[in-house]
Amino acid sequence: MEMGSLPEWFTACAELLAVCTALFLPQITARRARMESYVRMRRVTKGLLTSFADDRESHGAEPVDELESAKDLQLYLRVAFFALSEPREIELRDEVQRLYRVLARPQPDIAAVRKEIAAL
């Protein structure tokens, strides 16, 4: 039985690597995109929650519906409800919604909410 020449072995290895790349590259790229989407979502929600907490702290008794940061966060949560399909993103959205409801209460504990926002 003949083993073949070095160029044939090199060609076979190159073809094997090409097949592996063709099979797994789309999965790796999709996973990386999902990770970037999740990280971006965390950053955006933390920013929106922080600005809402800042507005609640500075405007005290003003109704929540009149705060621009509250409107922005509500809009983001509504869009996220329809756009998200990944379990981690849905879980993050639910946590952000819970923190929004805590901040929307008449007398929220803003210091405790800030700690939870930082832990997101």
Side-chain angles (χ1 to χ4, degrees):
M1 181 192 276
E2 211 173 297
M3 296 294 289
S5 66
L6 186 60
E8 289 173 345
W9 276 94
F10 182 74
T11 303
C13 289
E15 286 180 18
L16 181 65
L17 288 173
V19 167
C20 289
T21 301
L23 288 175
F24 297 112
L25 186 62
Q27 293 174 354
I28 293 170
T29 306
R31 183 176 184 273
R32 191 172 293 150
R34 285 192 309 269
M35 268 309 249
E36 289 172 2
S37 172
Y38 179 72
V39 168
R40 187 173 37 255
M41 182 182 174
R42 278 186 43 212
R43 187 177 14 166
V44 167
T45 55
K46 281 175 95 169
L48 289 170
L49 281 169
T50 301
S51 83
F52 184 37
D54 291 343
D55 284 353
R56 283 293 287 166
E57 198 169 43
S58 63
H59 293 93
E62 189 173 325
V64 174
D65 296 339
E66 294 179 11
L67 298 175
E68 192 65 34
S69 59
K71 292 176 186 177
D72 292 342
L73 186 55
Q74 283 177 340
L75 179 62
Y76 185 84
L77 290 171
R78 284 184 187 136
V79 170
F81 181 79
F82 294 108
L84 301 179
S85 61
E86 291 291 319
R88 287 187 328 161
E89 291 176 340
I90 292 171
E91 183 180 316
L92 178 61
R93 184 204 63 214
D94 292 343
E95 181 66 19
V96 170
Q97 218 165 16
R98 184 188 68 79
L99 290 172
Y100 171 79
R101 285 192 302 267
V102 169
L103 281 171
R105 290 179 186 159
Q107 296 295 325
D109 185 6
I110 294 177
V113 172
R114 285 188 189 277
K115 288 180 185 176
E116 290 187 52
I117 292 171
L120 281 180

